[in-house]
Amino acid sequence: MSILIDKNTKVLVQGLTGKEGSFHTEQMMNYGTSVVGGITPGKGGKVYLGVPIFNTVEEAVKNTGGNVSVIFVPSPFASDAILEAIFSNIKLVICITEGIPVSDMIKIKHLLKMKDSFLIGPNCPGIISPEKSKIGIMPNSIFRRKGKIGIISRSGTLTYEAADQIVKFGYGISTAIGIGGDTVIGMNIKDIMKLFLEDLDTECIVIIGEIGGRLEIEAAEWVKKLNNKKPIIAFIAGQTAPKGKTMGHAGAIIEKKMETAQMKMEIMEKIGVHVVKSPANIGMTVNKVLH
């Protein structure tokens, strides 16, 4: 199985006719993703890459039955694109765009509590379930083998590295999700961890975290209360970063001792998570704990 998406998922692309949107839409289609429509205001009625273009998300949903939207809209308009998707009752919204103001995301986060939509991102690589569907910018070549390892990551490139190692050790991926590294995001580590724990075909979970924030700690504290038998492997990036230092992601700012990589690693180890100190050991550790 997989979580959130499968081979029946119908994808709409907001911003399909732009440079990034058209390139990654073609890659998604090459992977086998069912892209049923694109949205670009003012270009409704046209066809790009064999996909019909609509002026609004509402129109696209009505004509195609699309239930997932991926956003490649420039940052000044991306928050409006997310809101449009939510108000069009899109089940899952995936925002690849980076640079959305925190104030906009706070409003969106509040709205999501009152709606049935889920948001992944912004500033994320998206989600992929091998041999079923890919929505976002993850490289097709790495995610070719489906399996029973779930990946939750705050880092795009480390997601690819972890998946590559896992596949080289003979395992496959159930679903890999890049949640994004911004301060305010949609679904967090705990939200996705819950789905993986409920998924009967996901036998092991890999978490790739970062310094800054409490997402990893909150997820670990939640798991501690459960009778969880699925092995969890974690790597926390930024182990050498000094306190108060702003790193690559907007959310990766150490403000408190509990937000350091070392403290997160210690907390996770205490509840039985298999913590690795180097991303090079992720695949090896998966192999070890499953034997």
Side-chain angles (χ1 to χ4, degrees):
M1 295 175 66
S2 56
I3 64 171
L4 295 174
I5 63 172
D6 56 33
K7 62 181 180 180
N8 297 315
T9 298
K10 295 182 178 180
V11 180
L12 300 174
V13 182
Q14 293 176 254
L16 186 154
T17 59
K19 182 180 178 181
E20 295 295 322
S22 60
F23 174 81
H24 289 294
T25 296
E26 188 169 20
Q27 295 299 308
M28 287 188 284
M29 293 170 68
N30 289 341
Y31 193 78
T33 302
S34 177
V35 178
V36 298
I39 298 92
T40 301
K43 293 189 178 181
K46 296 184 178 181
V47 176
Y48 278 72
L49 303 175
V51 177
I53 305 300
F54 301 92
N55 289 315
T56 67
V57 177
E58 183 180 16
E59 183 184 0
V61 171
K62 183 179 179 180
N63 285 275
T64 68
N67 55 1
V68 174
S69 182
V70 59
I71 296 173
F72 291 99
V73 174
S75 57
F77 314 105
S79 59
D80 284 342
I82 295 173
L83 291 172
E84 184 183 1
I86 293 172
F87 281 111
S88 297
N89 297 315
I90 292 291
K91 179 182 177 182
L92 178 64
V93 184
I94 299 153
C95 186
I96 309 301
T97 308
E98 62 178 312
I100 298 178
V102 173
S103 58
D104 287 355
M105 282 307 305
I106 291 173
K107 295 175 184 177
I108 290 170
K109 189 84 170 177
H110 179 71
L111 175 65
L112 285 167
K113 295 178 181 179
M114 299 179 284
K115 297 290 184 177
D116 293 327
S117 300
F118 295 99
L119 171 66
I120 296 176
N123 189 16
C124 75
I127 176 173
I128 188 167
S129 289
E131 300 182 25
K132 297 178 182 179
S133 185
K134 172 189 111 164
I135 308 174
I137 63 174
M138 295 191 192
N140 293 4
S141 59
I142 294 175
F143 297 89
R144 286 295 182 188
R145 183 170 183 172
K146 69 177 180 179
K148 299 187 176 183
I149 313 298
I151 300 176
I152 311 168
S153 179
R154 289 176 65 185
S155 167
T157 53
L158 287 178
T159 308
Y160 318 150
E161 172 65 23
D164 187 51
Q165 289 183 35
I166 290 166
V167 171
K168 286 179 178 177
F169 271 93
Y171 299 94
I173 309 299
S174 58
T175 304
I177 303 177
I179 64 174
D182 282 2
T183 305
V184 181
I185 57 174
M187 299 187 78
N188 58 35
I189 295 174
K190 176 185 170 182
D191 296 331
I192 297 168
M193 176 85 74
K194 185 176 185 293
L195 297 178
F196 275 136
L197 292 178
E198 293 172 349
D199 180 25
L200 298 178
D201 284 346
T202 296
E203 295 182 350
C204 176
I205 303 166
V206 173
I207 298 173
I208 300 172
E210 293 182 342
I211 58 171
R214 291 179 48 86
L215 295 183
E216 299 86 356
I217 297 169
E218 290 169 357
E221 290 174 342
W222 176 74
V223 170
K224 186 179 180 180
K225 300 175 183 178
L226 306 176
N227 183 28
N228 170 50
K229 293 182 172 59
K230 294 186 181 182
I232 301 172
I233 296 155
F235 169 72
I236 307 296
Q239 295 171 34
T240 61
K243 184 176 179 180
K245 180 70 174 179
T246 303
M247 305 303 287
H249 281 119
I253 305 172
I254 306 176
E255 296 179 350
K256 302 174 184 177
K257 184 178 180 181
M258 193 170 284
E259 298 181 2
T260 64
Q262 188 60 40
M263 183 57 68
K264 289 184 179 185
M265 291 163 67
E266 290 177 6
I267 291 172
M268 298 181 93
E269 282 181 331
K270 286 179 181 179
I271 66 165
V273 173
H274 302 271
V275 177
V276 297
K277 294 185 178 180
S278 168
N281 297 329
I282 293 174
M284 183 188 309
T285 306
V286 168
N287 186 54
K288 182 179 179 181
V289 299
L290 291 180
H291 272 75

